[in-house]
Amino acid sequence: MNKKIGAGIAVVVLATGVLGTSYYMGGKLQQDFTNAAAQWSRDDLKIQITSYERGAFSSAAKTVWTLDQDGDPVQFTAEHKISHGPLPMGHAAQINTLFHLPDDADPGLKAALNGRAPVQLLTKVGWGHSTSNLMTSPPVKARVNDSDMDWGGMTIQWDMPSDMKAIKGTASIPALQFKDEEGSMSLEKASMRFDVLQPKGQQFWIGPMNMAIDKVTTTHAEPDSLPSSIQGLSLDSDTVLKTDTLEMTLKGGIKSAQMQGKTADDLVWDLSLRNIDAAWLNHVMELSQKKSPDQEQTDSEDDGSDDADAPGGIDLRQAMLKTISQALARKPEIEIKRLAMRTPEGVSEFAATLQYLGDGENLNKLPTDLKLTLKTSLPKPVMESMITARKRNQLIEALDEEDNDYSMENFERTAKIQAAADIQMLQKSGIFEDKSGLMSTQIVYEAGMFQVNGKPLDGEGTAMLFGTLTD
């Protein structure tokens, strides 16, 4: 009898412990839920918890999300079902969130969803309050705002620690297409990988990101318009913190591109920013998130003025100028290692490096403390086409359409004559050299002086160079 009583007491104690642990976890999760809503809210996104009903083993919550961009707020709601006991499988809790369309959403989209949530988020909360998240969106075909939309769905998976200062995951979109009377746009197989974190005490994020798109195609309904497409787009970026400086890299390419009947293949780019002072960048980001009293008043009045001219913007620029010496002391450097493409005429390549060589103390010496190295090589027909297009646009802009009798043939003929004269002058001044049909140059600016193709540039050549760069 005593054994049965003891066993019964043990069961009661165990059940009470499980219930108490589950209820405690529910309370802890409620606080974390509230903290997360506050942490993710910012100027253009507000998350408001409208209800939270906590139970012993599960809870339910509702939130309202307000996205305000350019003074045109969009509001939608979300329902959250939270399971926190007893003893969830391998994790402390699980949150299933259903996002609902705004009340004024397009009726065609609502009908196509047929009661389904446009976005669903499943979050598993670890015992240390880290999270593993899976966001999905179902495929939808609908008539939306006079356009036929074919949405292939979406899957985003990511993991985050409890402090939300890191994120690692993947995202994918199988397909997306819009089509209306003006034309169409289609995207095939987009994907992304990311593994970034926010260093302690810093505002910026570091780590690698990768994006890839199989194909993007656009068409226009105009009879003379040709389709444009990009195939095999890839983009890799990485930011590395080296004690107190940052290095940023951006690499990518396009296998094939077609724009208005012109094609280019094997486009590549490789860029780097080095010796970026971490404390300076962090300070600039902190300043950019603050608003002066004048700026806040300007925003509240919403007078439509340009942000660049607003008092808050001026304060930010002045603050950046005051700390620019700190950034320059690191001798920052920007390098375009390679920018290239292949066309039927041949391969065009460009590379450039901009370095600061001073000590950051005397900004009056900035023009002589900078070093610029530029190298380029492109087929002569490509150069002729580029300069001709620029001359043609200048001619069209310079003449009043109502007062001239020029035809497009006249514009084209005059533009070609002017382009040929410019190319001849560039060769005569030694800025470009014709190497078996490739127009090549190497320009170095150092200590306030220009050298082109290994030779000092005289006054006439310098004027010609600046005229070409600013034309």
Side-chain angles (χ1 to χ4, degrees):
M1 183 70 178
N2 289 337
K3 290 183 178 180
K4 291 182 179 180
I5 293 175
I9 292 174
V11 170
V12 171
V13 170
L14 178 61
T16 303
V18 169
L19 180 62
T21 301
S22 177
Y23 194 79
Y24 163 78
M25 182 59 67
K28 189 71 173 69
L29 283 170
Q30 182 176 1
Q31 184 61 49
D32 288 348
F33 193 87
T34 302
N35 292 341
Q39 188 168 350
W40 283 103
S41 293
R42 51 185 187 271
D43 288 342
D44 57 350
L45 175 63
K46 301 296 182 184
I47 305 174
Q48 180 184 4
I49 301 174
T50 57
S51 67
Y52 197 104
E53 299 176 2
R54 180 158 63 99
F57 300 134
S58 64
S59 301
K62 292 183 179 181
T63 55
V64 175
W65 301 55
T66 303
L67 181 63
D68 190 354
Q69 293 182 333
D70 301 325
D72 187 15
V74 176
Q75 194 172 81
F76 52 94
T77 60
E79 294 183 0
H80 315 268
K81 295 182 179 179
I82 306 166
S83 173
H84 44 76
L87 301 178
M89 294 295 292
H91 48 269
Q94 182 169 295
I95 305 172
N96 190 18
T97 299
L98 299 178
F99 291 91
H100 301 290
L101 290 174
D103 293 336
D104 59 351
D106 190 278
L109 181 57
K110 289 183 176 181
L113 284 167
N114 193 25
R116 297 175 297 171
V119 177
Q120 181 173 353
L121 173 61
L122 179 63
T123 300
K124 295 180 180 180
V125 183
W127 294 105
H129 290 203
S130 61
T131 62
S132 178
N133 306 272
L134 176 63
M135 179 179 286
T136 58
S137 176
V140 176
K141 291 184 178 181
R143 181 76 175 174
V144 180
N145 294 329
D146 300 324
S147 297
D148 292 320
M149 182 190 75
D150 188 349
W151 167 247
M154 175 186 69
T155 301
I156 306 176
Q157 179 277 324
W158 72 96
D159 298 324
M160 295 183 70
S162 58
D163 61 2
M164 293 192 248
K165 298 296 185 180
I167 180 168
K168 180 180 181 179
T170 61
S172 65
I173 298 175
L176 172 63
Q177 184 178 52
F178 283 99
K179 186 177 181 181
D180 58 23
E181 59 183 12
E182 296 182 356
S184 66
M185 186 284 293
S186 65
L187 177 147
E188 300 177 15
K189 196 177 180 181
S191 62
M192 178 181 289
R193 298 194 307 271
F194 44 90
D195 186 2
V196 297
L197 61 89
Q198 191 173 25
K200 186 176 180 179
Q202 306 291 356
Q203 298 293 319
F204 54 79
W205 291 70
I206 62 174
M209 293 183 65
N210 166 269
M211 182 186 73
I213 299 177
D214 274 11
K215 188 176 183 180
V216 177
T217 304
T218 60
T219 64
H220 298 278
E222 291 84 356
D224 297 333
S225 179
L226 297 173
S228 300
S229 66
I230 294 175
Q231 298 186 55
L233 170 65
S234 64
L235 187 63
D236 292 273
S237 67
D238 195 7
T239 302
V240 178
L241 178 60
K242 296 183 175 180
T243 308
D244 49 10
T245 61
L246 288 165
E247 180 172 325
M248 307 174 188
T249 58
L250 181 64
K251 300 179 181 180
I254 296 174
K255 290 183 178 179
S256 180
Q258 182 176 351
M259 302 289 177
Q260 293 300 310
K262 296 183 178 181
T263 61
D265 299 315
D266 303 327
L267 286 83
V268 297
W269 53 86
D270 188 348
L271 295 78
S272 295
L273 281 77
R274 291 187 284 270
N275 302 329
I276 308 301
D277 187 82
W280 174 79
L281 179 61
N282 187 65
H283 181 59
V284 169
M285 295 189 69
E286 287 179 337
L287 288 173
S288 67
Q289 296 172 10
K290 296 178 180 179
K291 294 183 179 180
S292 69
D294 290 336
Q295 178 64 40
E296 291 178 351
Q297 181 178 357
T298 301
D299 290 345
S300 63
E301 293 173 355
D302 192 19
D303 59 1
S305 61
D306 190 352
D307 289 343
D309 297 329
I314 295 174
D315 290 345
L316 175 59
R317 288 194 294 268
Q318 291 176 345
M320 289 176 64
L321 286 173
K322 289 180 180 179
T323 59
I324 193 66
S325 295
Q326 176 185 353
L328 292 176
R330 298 289 185 181
K331 292 181 169 54
E333 180 179 324
I334 303 173
E335 181 181 12
I336 302 176
K337 295 182 179 179
R338 188 169 186 239
L339 188 63
M341 68 177 180
R342 179 169 56 84
T343 61
E345 296 84 4
V347 177
S348 302
E349 296 191 73
F350 175 85
T353 303
L354 179 63
Q355 301 168 283
Y356 177 77
L357 304 178
D359 57 12
E361 294 298 326
N362 189 352
L363 294 183
N364 292 326
K365 293 176 58 182
L366 186 62
T368 56
D369 286 339
L370 291 176
K371 180 180 179 180
L372 172 66
T373 302
L374 184 151
K375 293 177 64 176
T376 186
S377 173
L378 63 162
K380 191 170 184 178
V382 173
M383 186 175 185
E384 291 172 342
S385 178
M386 292 171 58
I387 298 180
T388 299
R390 187 180 63 193
K391 293 294 183 181
R392 184 194 311 115
N393 291 336
Q394 290 173 346
L395 289 168
I396 294 174
E397 291 174 0
L399 294 174
D400 190 331
E401 294 182 0
E402 296 181 359
D403 296 335
N404 77 81
D405 297 326
Y406 266 60
S407 64
M408 286 307 299
E409 290 78 8
N410 291 331
F411 283 125
E412 188 69 22
R413 182 168 55 254
T414 304
K416 286 182 177 180
I417 293 173
Q418 293 182 358
D422 275 9
I423 293 174
Q424 184 177 3
M425 287 296 295
L426 289 169
Q427 289 183 255
K428 182 179 178 180
S429 61
I431 297 176
F432 273 89
E433 298 177 343
D434 189 344
K435 297 181 178 180
S436 301
L438 285 177
M439 303 299 290
S440 303
T441 188
Q442 180 173 348
I443 301 172
V444 177
Y445 172 81
E446 188 174 11
M449 302 293 292
F450 278 100
Q451 278 196 344
V452 177
N453 299 320
K455 299 177 182 179
L457 198 61
D458 58 23
E460 183 180 351
T462 302
M464 183 66 186
L465 176 61
F466 273 100
T468 302
L469 294 175
T470 60
D471 194 357

